[in-house]
Each structure stands twice: as C-alpha cells, then as structure tokens.
C-alpha cells in the first residue's frame, strides 16, 4: 500500500513540476512506520537513549501505535543526536561529525525520506548522481567519460563545497520545501528535527544552519537544496552565459 501511494505521488510530481502536496502526514501510519523499522540495520550505533533495534522491537505494535498517536497530536519531539567523530580518509588528524539519532527518530526520518524522495526524485536533473537511488559515483564517471568522448568540451567548471551539510541554510531550505509540500505538520516536524540539537561530550549544541550528517533525512534534504541552488542555476543561468558554447557542452 505504501509503495502504491508513493508511486502515485511520484507520478503526480513528474506530471506537473508545480504540483504541491498539501497532505502527506496521513502516510505516517503504523504499517508504514513498521516498514521503516524493518529496513533499519540493527548493527548500527545506538543514539543517546541507548535503545537498540532489538529493544525497540519488543512490543513493536504498541510502540508504533503510541508514536502515530503522538505525531497526530504534535506531541512527538525528536531527541538530540549523539555526535561521533569519524576520521577522514587520507587526512591525518581531520575528522567529520556524524550524528547518531535515537531509534524511534530513525523510523520517522525513514518515512520522511520516502515522502520527500517520491516528490523530488522525478524533478532532479539527469546529471545529478549524489545520494540518489540506483546511482553511484561509478555511474557519474562512466557517463562523464561517454559525454567527453562524444562531444566537444571547451569549459569544465569544478566546484568543491566545503562542509556542505553543515552550511545549508535551514530557513531557505524550508522555504524551498514549502513550494512542493504544503502540509504544515510535516514542516513543523522538520523544524523540530533541525532544532533537536547534537550532544557533544554531554553538552547540547543547537545550530542555526546545517543538517546533521547521519540523519536518514539529510541526504535528500541536501539534494533538494543543491537542486535549486546549484543544479537549476547551472541549467537556467550558467548555460545561457556560455558564449558560443552549445548547452550540452556546459553540462
């Protein structure tokens, strides 16, 4: 049932890029959240509350029923993520921050990801590869090689975004999502995710910008932001200013 409804959303989004979805919270049912629970890897690190997948799975039906009820009353509040510092490969002494969410929050994030992916995946450009289903860096390299082999290319633009996830403007991101998702409860829960904060050495830190790396929602949120700020800008503006260079060569 979930797949059918999400496929319907994706079809409507692909049919009309200006379509706005004003009611998506009805998808947060016990059945759908149970699917999100089952998809979680029980071997992953636990959040700040110490609850494992096995522990949460005890009396799962009752817990999900309670979760859905709390979400309907706007009583559900995400917990703070637990920060873990991951060493950067090949960069001695440098780390990146990873936020480990509580198990219940991961379930909600999983459903949010499914909803946003159904809406936005049909809108993302074909030349976009990061964090997308069925695509990888190997696909990007293969397609780039194919393009360079079959087209003349005079200009290559290389952009490296430092700490991209940490620098995303939360308010601007919410305004972007509001163009496609009109469900106010969905927006409020996104806001609560942003303000849940991160526990660093036992101290709560709340940032005004950025999305937590490690959240199941962050990859799709990052793609939504990049789609409007970078991809569409290149498509609609940069290509037009590539003087005497065909559109396809400014890919």
């Amino acid at each position: 049932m979930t797949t059918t409804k999400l496929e319907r959303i994706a079809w409507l989004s692909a049919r009309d890029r200006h379509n706005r979805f004003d009611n998506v919270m009805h998808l947060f049912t016990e059945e759908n959240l149970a699917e999100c629970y089952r998809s979680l890897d029980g071997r992953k690190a636990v959040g700040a509350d110490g609850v494992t997948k096995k522990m949460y799975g005890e009396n799962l039906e009752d817990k999900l029923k309670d979760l859905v009820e709390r979400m309907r009353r706007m009583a559900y509040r995400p917990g703070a993520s637990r920060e873990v510092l991951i060493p950067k490969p090949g960069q001695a002494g440098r780390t990146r921050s990873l936020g480990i969410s509580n198990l219940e929050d991961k379930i909600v994030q999983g459903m949010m990801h499914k909803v946003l992916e159904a809406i936005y995946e049909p809108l993302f450009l074909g030349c976009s590869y990061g964090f997308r289903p069925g695509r990888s860096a190997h696909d990007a390299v293969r397609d780039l090689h194919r393009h360079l082999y079959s087209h003349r290319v005079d200009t290559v633009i290389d952009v490296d975004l430092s700490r991209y996830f940490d620098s995303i403007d939360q308010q601007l991101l919410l305004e972007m999502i509001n163009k496609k998702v009109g469900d106010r409860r969905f927006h409020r829960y996104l806001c609560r995710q942003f303000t849940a904060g991160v526990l660093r050495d036992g101290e709560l830190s709340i940032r005004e910008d950025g999305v937590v790396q490690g959240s199941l929602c962050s990859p799709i949120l990052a793609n939504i932001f990049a789609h409007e700020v970078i991809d569409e800008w290149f498509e609609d503006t940069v290509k037009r200013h590539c003087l005497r260079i065909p559109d396809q060569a400014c890919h």
Side-chain angles (χ1 to χ4, degrees):
M1 182 64 71
T2 308
T3 302
T4 302
K5 290 182 178 179
L6 291 175
E7 288 175 347
R8 172 69 177 174
I9 289 175
W11 180 81
L12 290 171
S13 186
R15 185 183 182 189
D16 181 3
R17 62 182 291 111
H18 301 294
N19 221 328
R20 192 165 184 257
F21 300 87
D22 295 326
N23 183 18
V24 296
M25 287 304 297
H26 72 282
L27 293 169
F28 288 74
T29 63
E30 295 172 40
E31 178 185 1
N32 294 346
L33 293 175
E35 289 183 15
C36 294
Y37 165 81
R38 288 190 289 269
S39 68
L40 294 175
D41 186 347
R43 297 168 296 178
K44 297 289 186 180
V46 299
D49 63 358
V51 175
T52 66
K53 180 178 181 180
K54 182 178 180 180
M55 292 166 61
Y56 195 90
E58 297 174 2
N59 301 315
L60 178 63
E61 185 176 338
D62 291 338
K63 289 177 180 173
L64 293 181
K65 183 177 180 180
D66 175 68
L67 174 58
V68 170
E69 180 58 31
R70 280 184 284 130
M71 295 194 77
R72 287 173 180 166
R73 294 186 287 109
M74 294 304 300
Y76 161 71
R77 292 189 175 277
S81 301
R82 180 174 64 86
E83 183 184 55
V84 175
L85 297 179
I86 307 297
K88 287 189 174 182
Q91 301 183 40
R94 299 195 63 184
T95 61
R96 66 184 179 93
S97 173
L98 192 68
I100 310 299
S101 301
N102 294 336
L103 200 290
E104 184 172 81
D105 297 334
K106 290 179 182 179
I107 295 173
V108 176
Q109 292 167 11
M111 195 62 219
M112 283 185 163
H113 180 98
K114 287 184 178 183
V115 171
L116 290 172
E117 187 174 81
I119 294 172
Y120 282 96
E121 182 62 27
L123 306 179
F124 291 153
L125 302 184
C127 57
S128 171
Y129 292 86
F131 306 114
R132 295 185 62 186
R135 294 179 175 228
S136 68
H138 296 293
D139 296 318
V141 171
R142 184 191 64 245
D143 290 349
L144 177 61
H145 183 271
R146 182 183 301 140
H147 181 85
L148 294 174
Y149 182 79
S150 57
H151 298 88
R152 175 187 171 184
V153 175
D154 297 309
T155 303
V156 174
I157 301 175
D158 182 15
V159 180
D160 185 7
L161 300 178
S162 177
R163 302 180 66 86
Y164 171 55
F165 278 69
D166 296 334
S167 63
I168 290 175
D169 187 311
Q170 295 177 1
Q171 186 57 43
L172 185 55
L173 175 59
L174 289 171
E175 292 173 6
M176 292 175 181
I177 294 175
N178 188 54
K179 297 175 186 177
K180 296 293 297 177
V181 185
D183 194 314
R184 295 183 63 184
R185 287 196 299 157
F186 188 86
H187 280 265
R188 288 178 65 184
Y189 279 128
L190 274 179
C191 289
R192 288 182 182 182
Q193 279 197 31
F194 292 159
T195 58
V198 177
L199 284 172
R200 295 188 176 99
D201 297 324
E203 294 188 7
L204 181 64
S205 173
I206 300 177
R207 296 182 50 135
E208 295 183 359
D209 290 320
V211 294
V212 176
Q213 290 195 59
S215 165
L216 297 182
C217 272
S218 291
I220 186 69
L221 292 174
N223 275 356
I224 292 169
F225 197 84
H227 174 70
E228 289 213 20
V229 173
I230 301 175
D231 295 353
E232 288 195 332
W233 174 61
F234 266 91
E235 194 72 13
D236 301 333
T237 303
V238 176
K239 283 186 177 182
R240 295 180 183 179
H241 291 80
C242 290
L243 298 178
R244 294 177 296 174
I245 301 177
D247 279 358
Q248 63 185 7
C250 299
H251 188 70

